[in-house]
Amino acid sequence: MFGAQLPSVPASAVPDDVYLLDVREDDEWAAGHAPAAHHLPMTELPARIAEVPDDREVAVICRSGGRSGQVVGYLLRNGWDQVRNVEGGMGDWAAAGRPVVTDDGQPGRVV
């Protein structure tokens, strides 16, 4: 499996001060996301790659870890070296008891 070769971090162990990059689609983000996450849909990454910091640790998250794994690989190939895939994505994030909110701060859900 390709994911085993990528740097990764369990959802329960993502540091609070990491740049958390959520690469899910707009409807998934709107339903619920981590409070401090930055939203950048995977399909928009090539055009918006400059928005991703390259001078600090970045953790990439999606729903289950597949899309974020692809983004981690892309960023690694493009010069980012402090990037990790969040294992299990938002599903594992929520299961670990980490907060999931909507844009207005209300409780969110993972779709």
Side-chain angles (χ1 to χ4, degrees), residues 19 21 40-42 44-54 71 73-80:
Y19 186 94
L21 180 63
L40 177 55
M42 184 174 94
E44 296 178 22
L45 180 66
R48 296 174 58 190
I49 194 167
E51 295 177 30
V52 181
D54 59 4
V71 168
Y74 182 83
L75 290 171
L76 287 169
R77 289 189 303 276
N78 283 278
W80 275 253

Side-chain angles (χ1 to χ4, degrees), residues 19-99:
Y19 186 94
L20 185 61
L21 180 63
D22 190 322
V23 297
R24 298 175 300 150
E25 294 301 315
D26 291 340
D27 60 326
E28 294 172 289
W29 169 265
H33 52 82
H38 302 268
H39 186 219
L40 177 55
M42 184 174 94
T43 55
E44 296 178 22
L45 180 66
R48 296 174 58 190
I49 194 167
E51 295 177 30
V52 181
D54 59 4
D55 60 349
R56 61 184 286 207
E57 187 177 344
V58 175
V60 185
I61 196 164
C62 65
R63 184 175 58 228
S64 63
R67 285 172 287 178
S68 54
Q70 293 177 49
V71 168
V72 167
Y74 182 83
L75 290 171
L76 287 169
R77 289 189 303 276
N78 283 278
W80 275 253
D81 55 6
Q82 298 182 75
V83 60
R84 296 190 284 173
N85 188 28
V86 178
E87 297 170 7
M90 284 300 296
D92 279 12
W93 178 275
R98 311 261 338 229

